[in-house]
Amino acid sequence: MTDGRFAIVAATFYRDLADRLIAGAQASFAEAATAAGKAPQPVDVFEVPGAFELPLAAKYLAESGRYGGIACLGAVIRGETDHYDFVCAQAAAGLQQVQITTGVPATFGVLTVDSMEQALARSGGDKRDSGRHAADAVLALVKVRRDLSGT
């Protein structure tokens, strides 16, 4: 496993939101490399249909040994059924399980919102950039691992 190579796995059910989240994560990874005096490395982007598929894709990526961390991105917008609750809970639990069992950060950059307006505000809009925050969390966890290993 390498601490310096990262991946993004994005749920593309809401393509426009996924693209915004990916852009935020890529910017964070590039800025971190530049701040460390290194040339930004390409970040591999993998796509899955929805948030429910994120944990398995993250598991594949973590187990490949190619990546030091994975920013997992997507959006789930509440509807009129319980589907929202199941997808959000399982995506979050699945990503947490990937992190714990593999030791590879697989951060939760999934918007869990009530409306498209809220999603836009949280995908690089006026409130926050959840794609960037997911990448920032990967970088923070990699730093903890690196500090503890002394490398």
Side-chain angles (χ1 to χ4, degrees):
M1 172 176 42
T2 175
D3 284 349
R5 183 154 178 124
F6 302 107
I8 295 169
V9 61
T12 59
F13 188 83
Y14 296 101
R15 168 56 75 183
D16 291 346
L17 295 173
D19 290 344
R20 292 166 61 117
L21 293 166
I22 291 167
Q26 288 175 322
S28 175
F29 287 133
E31 289 165 13
T34 301
K38 300 177 182 177
Q41 297 296 311
V43 175
D44 295 335
V45 178
F46 299 88
E47 297 181 352
V48 296
F52 197 78
E53 291 78 31
L54 289 170
L56 185 56
K59 182 176 185 285
Y60 291 155
L61 295 171
E63 290 178 344
S64 76
R66 296 179 190 169
Y67 304 103
I70 306 148
C72 305
L73 312 173
V76 184
I77 300 174
R78 187 179 302 278
E80 297 176 358
T81 69
D82 293 341
H83 182 77
Y84 170 91
D85 298 314
F86 293 109
V87 171
C88 294
Q90 293 305 310
L95 291 174
Q96 182 70 348
Q97 182 180 1
V98 169
Q99 294 189 113
I100 298 301
T101 60
T102 68
V104 176
T107 58
F108 188 76
V110 178
L111 304 173
T112 55
V113 296
D114 291 324
S115 68
M116 182 59 76
E117 179 180 288
Q118 289 176 351
L120 291 168
R122 289 161 177 79
S123 61
D126 62 349
K127 291 218 181 237
R128 66 184 65 94
D129 185 338
S130 291
R132 176 178 290 276
H133 295 314
D136 291 346
V138 166
L139 294 165
L141 289 166
V142 167
K143 182 180 182 320
V144 170
R145 181 175 58 212
R146 190 177 295 136
D147 289 350
L148 290 171
S149 70
T151 60

mmCIF file of all heavy atoms in Angstrom, residues 14 17 75-80 83-84 88 111-117 119:
data_model
loop_
_atom_site.group_PDB
_atom_site.id
_atom_site.type_symbol
_atom_site.label_atom_id
_atom_site.label_comp_id
_atom_site.label_asym_id
_atom_site.label_seq_id
_atom_site.Cartn_x
_atom_site.Cartn_y
_atom_site.Cartn_z
ATOM 1 N N TYR A 14 -26.757 10.953 -9.198
ATOM 2 C CA TYR A 14 -26.930 12.379 -9.468
ATOM 3 C C TYR A 14 -25.624 12.862 -10.098
ATOM 4 O O TYR A 14 -24.717 13.317 -9.404
ATOM 5 C CB TYR A 14 -27.232 13.163 -8.194
ATOM 6 C CG TYR A 14 -28.541 12.780 -7.544
ATOM 7 C CD1 TYR A 14 -28.569 11.942 -6.432
ATOM 8 C CD2 TYR A 14 -29.744 13.267 -8.031
ATOM 9 C CE1 TYR A 14 -29.772 11.599 -5.833
ATOM 10 C CE2 TYR A 14 -30.959 12.923 -7.431
ATOM 11 C CZ TYR A 14 -30.955 12.093 -6.331
ATOM 12 O OH TYR A 14 -32.143 11.752 -5.738
ATOM 13 N N LEU A 17 -24.052 16.348 -9.291
ATOM 14 C CA LEU A 17 -23.523 16.415 -7.925
ATOM 15 C C LEU A 17 -22.234 15.611 -7.815
ATOM 16 O O LEU A 17 -21.262 16.057 -7.185
ATOM 17 C CB LEU A 17 -24.556 15.893 -6.927
ATOM 18 C CG LEU A 17 -25.835 16.716 -6.803
ATOM 19 C CD1 LEU A 17 -26.841 16.004 -5.913
ATOM 20 C CD2 LEU A 17 -25.538 18.120 -6.281
ATOM 21 N N ALA A 75 -24.505 11.194 -3.372
ATOM 22 C CA ALA A 75 -25.614 11.954 -2.795
ATOM 23 C C ALA A 75 -26.842 11.060 -2.700
ATOM 24 O O ALA A 75 -27.128 10.285 -3.613
ATOM 25 C CB ALA A 75 -25.931 13.175 -3.651
ATOM 26 N N VAL A 76 -27.528 11.199 -1.577
ATOM 27 C CA VAL A 76 -28.816 10.543 -1.388
ATOM 28 C C VAL A 76 -29.776 11.644 -0.942
ATOM 29 O O VAL A 76 -29.531 12.308 0.071
ATOM 30 C CB VAL A 76 -28.750 9.415 -0.331
ATOM 31 C CG1 VAL A 76 -30.098 8.693 -0.251
ATOM 32 C CG2 VAL A 76 -27.636 8.432 -0.649
ATOM 33 N N ILE A 77 -30.821 11.833 -1.720
ATOM 34 C CA ILE A 77 -31.790 12.886 -1.424
ATOM 35 C C ILE A 77 -33.081 12.228 -0.953
ATOM 36 O O ILE A 77 -33.615 11.324 -1.610
ATOM 37 C CB ILE A 77 -32.031 13.779 -2.659
ATOM 38 C CG1 ILE A 77 -30.706 14.435 -3.078
ATOM 39 C CG2 ILE A 77 -33.101 14.828 -2.360
ATOM 40 C CD1 ILE A 77 -30.780 15.238 -4.366
ATOM 41 N N ARG A 78 -33.553 12.692 0.205
ATOM 42 C CA ARG A 78 -34.745 12.084 0.820
ATOM 43 C C ARG A 78 -35.936 12.146 -0.132
ATOM 44 O O ARG A 78 -36.171 13.152 -0.786
ATOM 45 C CB ARG A 78 -35.101 12.814 2.113
ATOM 46 C CG ARG A 78 -36.205 12.131 2.890
ATOM 47 C CD ARG A 78 -36.534 12.854 4.187
ATOM 48 N NE ARG A 78 -35.398 12.988 5.076
ATOM 49 C CZ ARG A 78 -34.953 12.047 5.924
ATOM 50 N NH1 ARG A 78 -35.561 10.877 5.948
ATOM 51 N NH2 ARG A 78 -33.932 12.280 6.706
ATOM 52 N N GLY A 79 -36.652 11.070 -0.191
ATOM 53 C CA GLY A 79 -37.871 11.006 -0.999
ATOM 54 C C GLY A 79 -39.068 10.724 -0.116
ATOM 55 O O GLY A 79 -39.069 11.066 1.067
ATOM 56 N N GLU A 80 -40.047 10.076 -0.671
ATOM 57 C CA GLU A 80 -41.289 9.815 0.056
ATOM 58 C C GLU A 80 -41.336 8.445 0.701
ATOM 59 O O GLU A 80 -42.327 8.093 1.327
ATOM 60 C CB GLU A 80 -42.473 9.969 -0.909
ATOM 61 C CG GLU A 80 -42.608 11.377 -1.448
ATOM 62 C CD GLU A 80 -43.724 11.496 -2.475
ATOM 63 O OE1 GLU A 80 -44.371 10.489 -2.807
ATOM 64 O OE2 GLU A 80 -43.942 12.618 -2.948
ATOM 65 N N HIS A 83 -36.627 4.256 1.614
ATOM 66 C CA HIS A 83 -35.433 3.905 0.848
ATOM 67 C C HIS A 83 -34.220 4.744 1.280
ATOM 68 O O HIS A 83 -33.115 4.219 1.449
ATOM 69 C CB HIS A 83 -35.713 4.108 -0.654
ATOM 70 C CG HIS A 83 -34.581 3.746 -1.544
ATOM 71 N ND1 HIS A 83 -34.265 2.440 -1.847
ATOM 72 C CD2 HIS A 83 -33.681 4.519 -2.196
ATOM 73 C CE1 HIS A 83 -33.222 2.424 -2.656
ATOM 74 N NE2 HIS A 83 -32.851 3.664 -2.882
ATOM 75 N N TYR A 84 -34.422 6.030 1.464
ATOM 76 C CA TYR A 84 -33.367 6.954 1.887
ATOM 77 C C TYR A 84 -32.675 6.449 3.152
ATOM 78 O O TYR A 84 -31.448 6.409 3.219
ATOM 79 C CB TYR A 84 -33.997 8.331 2.125
ATOM 80 C CG TYR A 84 -33.099 9.345 2.778
ATOM 81 C CD1 TYR A 84 -32.322 10.197 2.006
ATOM 82 C CD2 TYR A 84 -33.047 9.481 4.171
ATOM 83 C CE1 TYR A 84 -31.507 11.154 2.607
ATOM 84 C CE2 TYR A 84 -32.241 10.425 4.762
ATOM 85 C CZ TYR A 84 -31.469 11.268 3.975
ATOM 86 O OH TYR A 84 -30.666 12.201 4.564
ATOM 87 N N CYS A 88 -28.688 5.320 3.146
ATOM 88 C CA CYS A 88 -27.738 6.127 3.931
ATOM 89 C C CYS A 88 -27.078 5.294 5.021
ATOM 90 O O CYS A 88 -25.843 5.331 5.183
ATOM 91 C CB CYS A 88 -28.448 7.327 4.562
ATOM 92 S SG CYS A 88 -29.047 8.525 3.364
ATOM 93 N N LEU A 111 -23.496 13.000 0.500
ATOM 94 C CA LEU A 111 -24.486 13.973 0.943
ATOM 95 C C LEU A 111 -25.754 13.227 1.320
ATOM 96 O O LEU A 111 -26.255 12.414 0.538
ATOM 97 C CB LEU A 111 -24.804 14.956 -0.187
ATOM 98 C CG LEU A 111 -23.627 15.714 -0.779
ATOM 99 C CD1 LEU A 111 -24.074 16.516 -1.991
ATOM 100 C CD2 LEU A 111 -22.989 16.599 0.262
ATOM 101 N N THR A 112 -26.269 13.474 2.500
ATOM 102 C CA THR A 112 -27.531 12.881 2.946
ATOM 103 C C THR A 112 -28.445 14.057 3.274
ATOM 104 O O THR A 112 -28.406 14.599 4.372
ATOM 105 C CB THR A 112 -27.311 11.964 4.169
ATOM 106 O OG1 THR A 112 -26.649 12.700 5.193
ATOM 107 C CG2 THR A 112 -26.453 10.766 3.793
ATOM 108 N N VAL A 113 -29.231 14.447 2.294
ATOM 109 C CA VAL A 113 -29.948 15.721 2.354
ATOM 110 C C VAL A 113 -31.430 15.545 2.037
ATOM 111 O O VAL A 113 -31.861 14.508 1.533
ATOM 112 C CB VAL A 113 -29.308 16.735 1.379
ATOM 113 C CG1 VAL A 113 -27.880 17.067 1.798
ATOM 114 C CG2 VAL A 113 -29.316 16.220 -0.053
ATOM 115 N N ASP A 114 -32.177 16.603 2.301
ATOM 116 C CA ASP A 114 -33.611 16.593 2.058
ATOM 117 C C ASP A 114 -34.000 17.138 0.687
ATOM 118 O O ASP A 114 -35.122 16.902 0.231
ATOM 119 C CB ASP A 114 -34.336 17.415 3.128
ATOM 120 C CG ASP A 114 -34.288 16.748 4.490
ATOM 121 O OD1 ASP A 114 -34.358 15.508 4.551
ATOM 122 O OD2 ASP A 114 -34.170 17.476 5.498
ATOM 123 N N SER A 115 -33.098 17.887 0.039
ATOM 124 C CA SER A 115 -33.475 18.524 -1.220
ATOM 125 C C SER A 115 -32.262 18.733 -2.115
ATOM 126 O O SER A 115 -31.117 18.724 -1.647
ATOM 127 C CB SER A 115 -34.124 19.887 -0.949
ATOM 128 O OG SER A 115 -33.148 20.783 -0.421
ATOM 129 N N MET A 116 -32.526 18.964 -3.379
ATOM 130 C CA MET A 116 -31.460 19.267 -4.321
ATOM 131 C C MET A 116 -30.773 20.571 -3.937
ATOM 132 O O MET A 116 -29.558 20.712 -4.081
ATOM 133 C CB MET A 116 -32.011 19.350 -5.741
ATOM 134 C CG MET A 116 -30.938 19.628 -6.790
ATOM 135 S SD MET A 116 -29.610 18.394 -6.881
ATOM 136 C CE MET A 116 -30.455 17.077 -7.732
ATOM 137 N N GLU A 117 -31.524 21.509 -3.433
ATOM 138 C CA GLU A 117 -30.942 22.785 -2.990
ATOM 139 C C GLU A 117 -29.884 22.547 -1.909
ATOM 140 O O GLU A 117 -28.789 23.118 -1.954
ATOM 141 C CB GLU A 117 -32.052 23.704 -2.471
ATOM 142 C CG GLU A 117 -31.547 25.046 -1.968
ATOM 143 C CD GLU A 117 -32.686 25.914 -1.467
ATOM 144 O OE1 GLU A 117 -33.461 26.403 -2.306
ATOM 145 O OE2 GLU A 117 -32.784 26.086 -0.225
ATOM 146 N N ALA A 119 -28.242 19.771 -1.436
ATOM 147 C CA ALA A 119 -27.141 19.039 -2.064
ATOM 148 C C ALA A 119 -26.210 19.985 -2.803
ATOM 149 O O ALA A 119 -24.980 19.867 -2.705
ATOM 150 C CB ALA A 119 -27.691 17.977 -3.014
#
